Amino acid sequence: MELIFPIEFFVLGTALSFQAKRAKALQEWKDRLRAASRKVLPENHFATDGRISVKLSYFPETRMTADIDNIVKPILDAFCNHIYLDDAQVERIVVQKFEPDMPVVFDGPSQTLFDALEADRPVLYIRISNDPFEDMGQ
């Protein structure tokens, strides 16, 4: 079954980077990412071979001490051979952190983003699209 884009979901928990001290913890994070995506994907779906864009909005529980870019690679790797065949298909990545003291304003958030905003922190909202120009006015 073909995937219908965009795909939106969120994952509760602290986003980990490849710099995580325990390999087991990193694998558990990737497993949690896949499990969250399965809730919105059709059973027996095919991973797409098309162009992909990924939007990540991370809402940490406290101010982050690590760099936001360090969380990206494990997230992209978690969806290889699951949502897309290879992370080389990802043409655009938008990642932003929203720390607790930062005002969060979205113009017309989707229901999924709204639900992520209402969830306990830390939470990661993910939107995967087959339109690399999404939100660029192209």
Side-chain angles (χ1 to χ4, degrees):
M1 175 173 282
E2 298 245 352
L3 292 175
I4 299 172
F5 291 96
I7 298 166
E8 291 181 285
F9 55 98
F10 63 92
V11 185
L12 299 174
T14 302
L16 297 181
S17 76
F18 271 121
Q19 298 170 345
K21 292 180 177 38
R22 293 182 23 236
K24 183 179 178 186
L26 184 59
Q27 186 56 53
E28 289 170 352
W29 173 240
K30 289 180 184 180
D31 292 344
R32 190 176 325 152
L33 289 162
R34 281 183 161 219
S37 71
R38 283 188 185 100
K39 294 176 186 174
V40 299
L41 296 173
E43 283 191 46
N44 302 317
H45 70 278
F46 299 110
T48 186
D49 62 356
R51 301 162 59 187
I52 295 294
S53 69
V54 178
K55 183 175 191 174
L56 306 171
S57 299
Y58 184 50
F59 303 89
E61 188 172 24
T62 60
R63 290 191 59 78
M64 288 183 66
T65 56
D67 297 339
I68 188 69
D69 62 314
N70 291 335
I71 71 168
V72 176
K73 186 67 173 152
I75 295 167
L76 296 181
D77 287 351
F79 302 127
C80 285
N81 292 314
H82 176 60
I83 295 177
Y84 40 79
L85 296 175
D86 189 294
D87 57 0
Q89 293 166 240
V90 178
E91 294 187 8
R92 181 170 180 243
I93 303 166
V94 177
V95 60
Q96 186 168 359
K97 65 182 175 181
F98 297 90
E99 293 178 328
D101 58 344
M102 176 185 238
V104 179
V105 178
F106 291 97
D107 185 27
S110 68
Q111 185 61 53
T112 304
L113 177 54
F114 181 80
D115 292 344
L117 292 168
E118 293 291 307
D120 290 333
R121 290 179 181 231
V123 62
L124 173 68
Y125 165 80
I126 301 170
R127 180 181 174 97
I128 301 174
S129 175
N130 60 348
D131 178 5
F133 301 103
E134 186 176 70
D135 299 331
M136 290 182 65
Q138 298 272 341

